[in-house]
Amino acid sequence: MAQIDHVLQSFTFHHADGNTDLVMEAYQYSLEKHKGQKRRSGEPYIVHPMSVAKIAADMGLCEPSICAALLHDVVEDTDTTKEEIREKFGKDVALLVDGLTKLDNVHFVHKEERQAESFRKMLIATVDDIRILLIKLADRLHNMSTLAALPPEKQERISQETRDIYAPLAGRLGLAWLKADLDDLSFKYLEPDKYYQLATAVKKTRKERMLFINNVKKELEAVLHSRGFEAEVSGRLKNLHSIHMKMVRKDLEFDKIHDAIAFRVLCDTVEQCYAIFGVIHSKWIPVPGYIKDYIAMPKPNHYQSLHTTVVWDGGERMEIQIRTREMHQINEYGIAAHWAYKEGTQANEKDVYQWLREILENQSDLDDSREFFDSVKVDLLHEDVFVFTPAGEIKTLSAGATPLDFAYAIHTEVGHQCRGARVNGVMVPFDTTLQSGDHVEILTSNEQRPSLAWLDIARTSRARNKIKAFLRTEQREQSLQVGKRLLEKALRREGISYSRMMKTGELDKLAPRYKLANANDVIAAIGYGKLDENSVVYDLLPEDAKEEVKSHIKETAFEKLIRKVKWQDDGIVIDGVDNMLVHFAKCCSPLPGEAVIGYISRGRGIIVHRQGCQQAAYLEKDRQTKVRWSEHATNKRPVKLQIVSGDRPGILATLSNSFQSRHINISTVHCDTSDPAGAVSTFTFPIDNAAQLKDLIRTLKQTKGVYEVTRLQS
């Protein structure tokens, strides 16, 4: 059990000139406030904040951090206010405590929502001050070490959360020792049988393995010293969870795992690292595929080291990590090294926060806290791949990432306009999985826009969230246009001016009745189908006018949908239903002769999509209906074709002739010759039917110099 003396001793070890008086004052205050409170284990509550403070001190954190660790529960669990903390211990400590305080005074419908919102608040606060997250990790470590006092269901829930979120966070912040402890404790409660079985096996072989470590250490030191290197060698058995995961990946029993021991070589310079690397490989045979250079390409948490696995005498495999002493300090203490060490070993402050800023930027388009929580989990659990831009810049992406993810990693607009990619000089599909070392080039077009199908291709949360945000914005704009048209029409029937109604703010006043913020939200809800425009008009009418129009204005959405409206004979037959308003989806512009599907919208009649349309795949199944073209359907619809060809004189005229010979009028054409792939020409034109389009595309593909012809969605 940690004592305050232990906290002060660890604190002064890292900060010889630190203010221990303020730390003692925080301890006394916390002791008084938590007086009489006990933990589930029966211990006095003060044991917990004191233990958290000890872990924070061991990280090398500063004086305000230690004070905040001692006080982190007083606002949540006692009558103390944030203002009291600020007045007594200063603004710095108060901000840290506030960032750690859970949202107890906010009502959430679900426990998961509360957990997610608390986590989101903590991460947002962390961007302003990383110490909040470091103290939170210390808090989680102590809670995990005392988990035995809780009921089994809580043990499992907290352990799963630790495995999914807090252990990966510790790893991302470079706190390898803390991640290992959290992983092992989660393993203990989530898979107790496997944990204790492995712990027993490790204990049985401990003496034998320690002997092996000592022998290797002596021989490795002797080899290096004989070559003039004053290197420091150490060896350790990997943590239980790490060994277990290796057993799972390789489907091996513990006694068949030959690289469960890692050796570490510390030297003074980067040049020595590479020289020692060469010496080791000249003495022992390296295992192919197990060499990693994290010095030239550091991990996102600034981890740097050379890794190699060699075959030792007797056939034993052995992992060796080679790094400078400065790298080792950063690798062990991670971001905490910013406070723990003097100039020369500090992490660059800009880089310290970059990763967290990227996480928040990636989730910035998410309003739902639980979606945010799940999205961060995806980011944390993936390994990384390192790929290169054409300029040689390294981009770090989650394993499994695609060229589409790479495009969004460069810039949101590059992602939105991505129409293709080259990997290592070769054109590849969007869904190609990138590998470390790949050189990626993105091809863009101003005509390109994201579609729902892209969500099946994107793997990183940044790309997925940017695509979702674009689709939401696009959907809202369309809903506003449709909603305005429907509301104007309904108002006109009652002799009400739409513009006058908007100027007087009547619709704004009505919005709260529908639990919406303003008039635009009401209009968008009408366009989307969540509100019936006739019901909104009814609510806008004076009380004395409502009875007169009640019979024809208070219809249900479905009654309004099937009532007789102006018939638009567009060649569509809807089995069993007559006189339906028909709209053709702009996203796919279905043509007579193509298989189509209908969608019963709320207030807009039937929306007809081409079967296989990316947008239609996400429509509600229970609102889909069978539709077909009439036998003699004629329906000129706009179609957009993108043609990639060689950039040669006369190519545009040749392509245009293919249209002219078929009496097809070109509405617009855009040609881009700056693309390294060749000339990219985009034609928009009306066409009668699918057969005519198929014939045109076949002719264009057979044209000399044409590489690719693609029908674009709007």
Side-chain angles (χ1 to χ4, degrees):
M1 183 177 73
Q3 302 289 343
I4 190 61
D5 290 345
H6 301 151
V7 176
L8 294 173
Q9 185 179 2
S10 181
F11 172 62
T12 54
F13 174 79
H14 294 292
H15 304 277
D17 300 328
N19 184 358
T20 55
D21 291 341
L22 191 63
V23 174
M24 277 301 298
E25 190 176 347
Y27 164 69
Q28 293 292 346
Y29 189 85
S30 182
L31 181 65
E32 178 62 29
K33 288 293 181 179
H34 289 300
K35 188 175 181 179
Q37 294 180 355
K38 291 188 179 294
R39 304 194 82 212
R40 285 290 188 97
S41 61
E43 293 177 312
Y45 195 88
I46 189 62
V47 170
H48 172 62
M50 199 155 46
S51 299
V52 174
K54 173 63 166 62
I55 297 168
D58 290 343
M59 289 185 196
L61 296 189
C62 57
E63 166 200 314
S65 303
I66 309 305
C67 292
L70 288 164
L71 300 166
H72 76 275
D73 279 335
V74 294
V75 174
E76 183 180 338
D77 294 340
T78 75
D79 59 359
T80 306
T81 65
K82 290 182 287 186
E83 289 69 27
E84 288 177 282
I85 297 294
R86 186 182 295 107
E87 185 179 334
K88 196 165 185 66
F89 298 99
K91 181 182 177 182
D92 204 7
V93 174
L95 287 173
L96 293 176
V97 172
D98 182 44
L100 290 157
T101 301
K102 295 176 183 174
L103 304 180
D104 266 1
N105 297 324
V106 181
H107 174 71
F108 296 112
V109 177
H110 301 287
K111 182 188 295 182
E112 292 82 1
E113 186 180 356
R114 177 184 179 138
Q115 173 203 48
E117 185 59 28
S118 294
F119 179 74
R120 184 174 194 156
K121 180 194 177 196
M122 183 189 70
L123 275 193
I124 291 170
T126 294
V127 169
D128 293 325
D129 202 319
I130 196 76
R131 293 171 295 180
I132 292 169
L133 184 50
L134 295 173
I135 300 166
K136 182 63 180 177
L137 289 170
D139 175 52
R140 178 52 59 119
L141 179 58
H142 184 251
N143 281 333
M144 286 297 296
S145 67
T146 58
L147 212 55
L150 297 181
E153 61 274 12
K154 280 196 172 183
Q155 291 176 352
E156 185 174 348
R157 177 180 60 79
I158 294 170
S159 296
Q160 190 64 56
E161 182 184 76
T162 300
R163 174 178 284 184
D164 289 346
I165 291 291
Y166 291 100
L169 269 175
R172 287 281 184 165
L173 298 180
L175 295 161
W177 63 272
L178 183 55
K179 181 184 186 302
D181 285 350
L182 291 173
D183 276 334
D184 279 357
L185 288 164
S186 301
F187 180 31
K188 178 180 178 180
Y189 289 102
L190 291 173
E191 302 171 87
D193 293 342
K194 293 176 181 177
Y195 173 86
Y196 286 110
Q197 184 180 358
L198 182 57
T200 301
V202 168
K203 188 175 181 181
K204 283 181 180 177
T205 60
R206 179 175 176 78
K207 191 176 290 187
E208 174 189 334
R209 290 180 183 274
M210 288 306 297
L211 181 62
F212 175 74
I213 287 173
N214 289 332
N215 290 338
V216 171
K217 181 175 177 293
K218 286 178 183 177
E219 186 171 356
L220 194 50
E221 281 179 339
V223 169
L224 295 178
H225 290 170
S226 69
R227 301 291 185 94
F229 295 107
E230 293 298 323
E232 181 183 332
V233 181
S234 61
R236 61 179 177 83
L237 184 68
K238 293 181 179 178
N239 67 299
L240 293 180
H241 183 256
S242 175
I243 296 172
H244 170 66
M245 293 307 296
K246 193 176 288 286
M247 291 166 60
V248 170
R249 283 196 304 271
K250 297 185 176 182
D251 194 23
L252 295 173
E253 296 298 320
F254 173 67
D255 59 356
K256 301 297 182 184
I257 297 292
H258 299 296
D259 52 352
I261 296 173
F263 290 87
R264 188 172 292 146
V265 179
L266 303 183
C267 56
D268 293 323
T269 66
V270 172
E271 290 77 10
Q272 288 179 359
C273 289
Y274 286 103
I276 290 170
F277 187 70
V279 169
I280 290 171
H281 283 183
S282 68
K283 176 71 176 174
W284 296 284
I285 299 172
V287 179
Y290 283 78
I291 297 171
K292 295 177 182 176
D293 187 347
Y294 293 118
I295 293 179
M297 290 193 296
K299 292 185 179 183
N301 61 13
H302 305 291
Y303 176 94
Q304 287 186 288
S305 190
L306 290 174
H307 288 196
T308 184
T309 298
V310 299
V311 180
W312 201 256
D313 304 332
E316 185 82 8
R317 282 190 179 191
M318 183 179 63
E319 181 184 316
I320 302 174
Q321 302 168 358
I322 309 161
R323 63 187 66 155
T324 67
R325 291 178 174 85
E326 180 179 333
M327 289 174 192
H328 181 61
Q329 289 174 335
I330 298 296
N331 294 350
E332 286 297 295
Y333 289 90
I335 283 178
H338 184 66
W339 292 274
Y341 292 97
K342 303 297 181 185
E343 186 177 354
T345 58
Q346 287 184 339
N348 181 284
E349 187 166 356
K350 180 183 177 183
D351 293 339
V352 163
Y353 295 98
Q354 185 59 34
W355 173 75
L356 278 168
R357 285 197 180 100
E358 285 178 3
I359 274 202
L360 285 172
E361 182 188 342
N362 292 350
Q363 330 305 330
S364 62
D365 299 305
L366 300 179
D367 296 323
D368 184 86
S369 295
R370 281 178 289 179
E371 191 178 358
F372 171 88
F373 190 70
D374 291 339
S375 190
V376 173
K377 275 200 320 191
V378 170
D379 271 354
L380 291 173
L381 291 176
H382 280 296
E383 294 294 324
D384 295 318
V385 293
F386 305 92
V387 295
F388 293 89
T389 69
E393 180 187 351
I394 296 174
K395 290 288 181 183
T396 305
L397 300 169
S398 301
T402 66
L404 191 59
D405 296 300
F406 178 84
Y408 277 100
I410 295 172
H411 193 277
T412 300
E413 283 305 310
V414 174
H416 287 346
Q417 297 178 9
C418 177
R419 68 164 184 82
R422 286 196 186 91
V423 175
N424 303 321
V426 179
M427 289 291 293
V428 299
F430 267 7
D431 58 356
T432 301
T433 300
L434 298 176
Q435 306 295 330
S436 283
D438 282 346
H439 289 254
V440 186
E441 179 186 355
I442 299 299
L443 309 178
T444 61
S445 168
N446 291 333
E447 301 294 322
Q448 185 66 280
R449 286 294 180 267
S451 70
L452 281 167
W454 285 19
L455 292 174
D456 294 329
I457 298 171
R459 296 288 179 269
T460 62
S461 60
R462 174 182 173 83
R464 291 178 60 80
N465 295 338
K466 294 297 181 185
I467 294 166
K468 287 178 185 177
F470 178 90
L471 295 175
R472 276 198 300 268
T473 301
E474 187 180 58
Q475 185 181 53
R476 180 174 172 84
E477 288 173 357
Q478 291 175 353
S479 296
L480 281 168
Q481 291 174 11
V482 173
K484 180 176 182 289
R485 190 166 66 247
L486 291 172
L487 185 57
E488 277 183 323
K489 186 176 179 181
L491 287 167
R492 197 160 47 244
R493 282 201 301 267
E494 305 308 322
I496 301 173
S497 164
Y498 173 85
S499 58
R500 183 179 175 187
M501 182 266 303
M502 292 297 289
K503 284 179 182 177
T504 57
E506 292 174 63
L507 199 55
D508 281 309
K509 295 172 188 174
L510 194 62
R513 180 180 297 189
Y514 311 121
K515 297 182 179 178
L516 297 171
N518 52 46
N520 275 344
D521 286 352
V522 175
I523 295 167
I526 292 170
Y528 187 65
K530 292 181 178 180
L531 279 178
D532 177 68
E533 68 272 18
N534 287 326
S535 296
V536 173
V537 171
Y538 181 82
D539 290 336
L540 284 167
L541 291 172
E543 288 300 322
D544 57 355
K546 286 184 177 180
E547 194 63 34
E548 183 182 341
V549 298
K550 190 173 184 180
S551 60
H552 73 269
I553 204 167
K554 293 289 285 182
E555 298 176 297
T556 66
F558 189 69
E559 285 171 341
K560 183 168 78 69
L561 181 64
I562 64 172
R563 74 176 186 270
K564 292 193 177 184
V565 295
K566 183 181 178 183
W567 174 244
Q568 295 183 2
D569 185 7
D570 286 313
I572 286 292
V573 177
I574 307 156
D575 293 337
V577 183
D578 192 12
N579 289 354
M580 291 293 291
L581 182 66
V582 173
H583 290 282
F584 289 93
K586 292 181 180 179
C587 54
C588 57
S589 292
L591 295 170
E594 292 182 317
V596 287
I597 188 167
Y599 173 70
I600 304 173
S601 71
R602 297 177 174 91
R604 294 180 61 198
I606 297 288
I607 310 295
V608 179
H609 287 265
R610 182 157 45 98
Q611 279 194 10
C613 170
Q614 297 166 347
Q615 305 275 6
Y618 292 86
L619 298 176
E620 301 168 58
K621 298 293 183 186
D622 59 350
R623 302 188 70 83
Q624 292 181 7
T625 187
K626 289 182 180 179
V627 297
R628 57 187 170 84
W629 294 102
S630 64
E631 188 176 349
H632 303 292
T634 57
N635 189 307
K636 278 191 181 292
R637 305 296 304 161
V639 171
K640 189 179 290 186
L641 288 184
Q642 181 177 274
I643 304 168
V644 181
S645 65
D647 183 14
R648 63 174 175 81
I651 186 65
L652 189 58
T654 302
L655 296 174
S656 298
N657 284 338
S658 298
F659 291 85
Q660 188 176 355
S661 64
R662 287 165 177 76
H663 306 289
I664 298 171
N665 293 321
I666 299 170
S667 303
T668 63
V669 61
H670 173 78
C671 188
D672 181 5
T673 58
S674 65
D675 197 307
V680 180
S681 304
T682 304
F683 291 84
T684 304
F685 52 93
I687 200 161
D688 291 329
N689 53 54
Q692 191 180 12
L693 178 63
K694 187 176 180 180
D695 175 60
L696 173 64
I697 291 175
R698 183 174 62 250
T699 300
L700 290 169
K701 283 184 174 180
Q702 292 171 352
T703 302
K704 184 179 179 181
V706 171
Y707 308 140
E708 181 184 324
V709 180
T710 306
R711 182 178 177 182
L712 299 178
Q713 294 216 151
S714 298

